[in-house]
């Protein structure tokens, strides 16, 4: 797992705790039936690339990148090991996926923003406001 945040940062630790809790709920317990190698590279692209190389050399079954720079570093190192991204705002614009519906390649994941949904979200909120105004 390549993490683009400082290891000791409270938010990083909270996210990792939530990740571990989610894995545990699915029956995957770190140290028992799943091994996770962590690398932390906050704001240093060269270090992220070095860590990505190290992680790929371990030949894991899957890689996880939690930011755009971390995912880019992993993708630069492998096109065969599956990569799951988390917290990437524009995976399509970053060139990580062919499309949101069908990512293709060895990369998939979770985006924290999907530009194509913005219009629908705005439409829905406008409709909601009209309805809520009419019901007052």
């Amino acid at each position: 797992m390549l993490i683009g945040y400082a290891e000791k940062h409270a938010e990083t630790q909270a996210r990792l705790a939530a990740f571990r809790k989610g894995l545990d709920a699915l029956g995957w317990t770190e140290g028992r039936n799943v091994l996770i190698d962590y690398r932390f590279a906050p704001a240093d692209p060269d270090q992220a690339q070095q860590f990505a190389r190290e992680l790929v050399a371990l030949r894991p079954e899957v890689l996880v990148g939690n930011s755009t720079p971390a995912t880019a570093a992993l993708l630069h190192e492998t096109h065969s090991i599956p990569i799951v991204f988390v917290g990437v705002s524009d995976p399509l614009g970053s060139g990580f996926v062919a499309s949101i519906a069908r990512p293709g390649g060895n990369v998939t994941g979770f985006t924290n923003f999907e530009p194509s949904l913005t219009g629908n979200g705005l439409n829905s909120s406008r409709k909601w406001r009209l309805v809520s105004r009419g019901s007052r």
Side-chain angles (χ1 to χ4, degrees), residues 51-127:
F51 288 159
R53 237 177 270 116
E54 289 176 13
L55 289 168
V56 168
L58 295 172
R59 302 179 56 112
E61 292 182 40
V62 66
L63 292 160
V64 176
N66 84 320
S67 65
T68 299
T71 303
L74 291 170
L75 190 55
H76 184 265
E77 296 300 322
T78 183
H79 291 283
S80 58
I81 299 171
I83 299 170
V84 178
F85 59 79
V86 181
V88 170
S89 21
D90 188 4
L92 187 60
S94 297
F96 299 158
V97 299
S99 77
I100 298 298
R102 301 212 188 297
N106 66 318
V107 183
T108 191
F110 304 92
T111 181
N112 54 354
F113 179 70
E114 172 44 46
S116 68
L117 298 177
T118 304
N120 288 337
L122 290 174
N123 267 342
S124 296
S125 85
R126 283 187 195 126
K127 289 176 187 172

Side-chain angles (χ1 to χ4, degrees), residues 33-55:
N33 58 0
V34 67
L35 173 65
I36 303 172
D37 286 294
Y38 300 92
R39 301 292 189 279
F40 298 88
D44 186 343
D46 293 331
Q47 188 178 42
Q49 202 61 58
Q50 175 189 337
F51 288 159
R53 237 177 270 116
E54 289 176 13
L55 289 168

